[in-house]
Amino acid sequence: MQQHQLAEGNLPVFVFPTELVFYADEQSSHKQVLTLYNPYEFALKFKVLCTAPNKYTVVDSTGAVKPQCCVDIVIRHRDVRPCHYGAYDKFRLQVSEQSQRKALGRKEVTATLRPSASQEPSSARSQDEERRIKEQFADSEFFEQTAFQTESRPVAGGPSLLTVLLGLVCMIALMLPTLGEQESTVPVYLHLSVNKKLVAAYVLGLLTMVILRT
């Protein structure tokens, strides 16, 4: 399975957050942090590309992530002039195996500069604007940036006790008999409907994704 994924270059890349918002009037927001996770059993090397490299300083634009570790990539906006308000840029994180050059996977993160947090749009962007942004990025050219490197750090902590307990409850719910089954030694009041089992399966899937990212 792993070799198949590597050959096709479809390796999932885990990055948080997936959108960066800078505010011109808030100095503290001019520095943002992207965290790149490596949940795999093998080391990865990464490279950060950007559609507007002159507007940003990227620390750790290239480097390596040890298995079961993560790295923080610091991004600073260095041109907060009004002419850049509302402009959308994009970062692309490419990962590959240590011994290979070909990218195994990639993840793209949007970045935008706004005048102030108090001037956040009250409603979501229109469909026309969303389409315009997607079309703009479809033909975007990404450029490399020079940066410093730091060592990767182990992923801190793990799934909370509440997450684990909720996962166990969902698993138990899926193992209980379905409502209407006759040949069962389990009391009838413990029989669950199909809808309840579907909800349990959905929640269990969400919890699995959360655990993989912790």
Side-chain angles (χ1 to χ4, degrees):
M1 177 67 70
Q2 176 179 318
Q3 294 299 326
H4 178 71
Q5 286 182 319
L6 299 184
E8 293 189 355
N10 294 325
L11 191 73
V13 179
F14 299 94
V15 180
F16 182 83
T18 56
E19 181 180 11
L20 301 176
V21 181
F22 302 88
Y23 299 104
D25 66 343
E26 290 186 15
Q27 184 70 31
S28 60
S29 75
H30 297 177
K31 173 185 174 182
Q32 303 276 348
V33 177
L34 284 177
T35 302
L36 173 63
Y37 298 89
N38 178 11
Y40 304 107
E41 300 297 328
F42 52 92
L44 293 173
K45 60 180 180 180
F46 68 89
K47 177 187 295 185
V48 181
L49 308 175
C50 182
T51 56
N54 293 332
K55 292 164 60 177
Y56 304 92
T57 297
V58 180
V59 181
D60 293 338
S61 65
T62 60
V65 196
K66 297 177 182 178
Q68 306 296 323
C69 291
C70 63
V71 293
D72 288 336
I73 303 169
V74 178
I75 298 178
R76 293 186 177 90
H77 203 306
R78 59 185 186 184
D79 191 350
V80 293
R81 291 176 297 167
C83 61
H84 296 308
Y85 291 173
Y88 284 86
D89 302 313
K90 207 164 190 180
F91 291 93
R92 173 179 290 173
L93 284 85
Q94 293 183 174
V95 300
S96 57
E97 205 171 12
Q98 288 279 25
S99 59
Q100 296 183 0
R101 290 187 176 182
K102 183 179 180 181
L104 303 180
R106 59 179 57 88
K107 183 77 171 182
E108 295 181 351
V109 177
T110 59
T112 184
L113 174 66
R114 295 174 182 168
S116 172
S118 61
Q119 298 181 19
E120 281 285 299
S122 58
S123 59
R125 292 189 298 268
S126 66
Q127 292 183 356
D128 289 341
E129 185 177 359
E130 291 281 2
R131 183 168 57 252
R132 178 183 61 79
I133 293 171
K134 289 181 180 179
E135 290 175 352
Q136 173 187 347
F137 285 144
D139 300 324
S140 294
E141 185 176 0
F142 289 83
F143 303 91
E144 296 186 20
Q145 292 187 265
T146 304
F148 300 94
Q149 293 185 354
T150 60
E151 292 185 358
S152 58
R153 57 179 173 83
V155 177
S160 65
L161 180 60
L162 179 60
T163 301
V164 174
L165 291 177
L166 188 56
L168 290 175
V169 171
C170 292
M171 292 177 65
I172 294 173
L174 291 173
M175 291 187 291
L176 289 174
T178 305
L179 195 64
E181 289 187 16
Q182 301 297 328
E183 299 179 359
S184 175
T185 57
V186 178
V188 177
Y189 63 85
L190 290 178
H191 291 207
L192 301 180
S193 66
V194 173
N195 287 339
K196 289 182 178 179
K197 287 199 169 188
L198 288 174
V199 171
Y202 177 75
V203 172
L204 185 60
L206 291 179
L207 292 175
T208 302
M209 292 179 62
V210 170
I211 292 174
L212 289 175
R213 289 173 179 242
T214 57

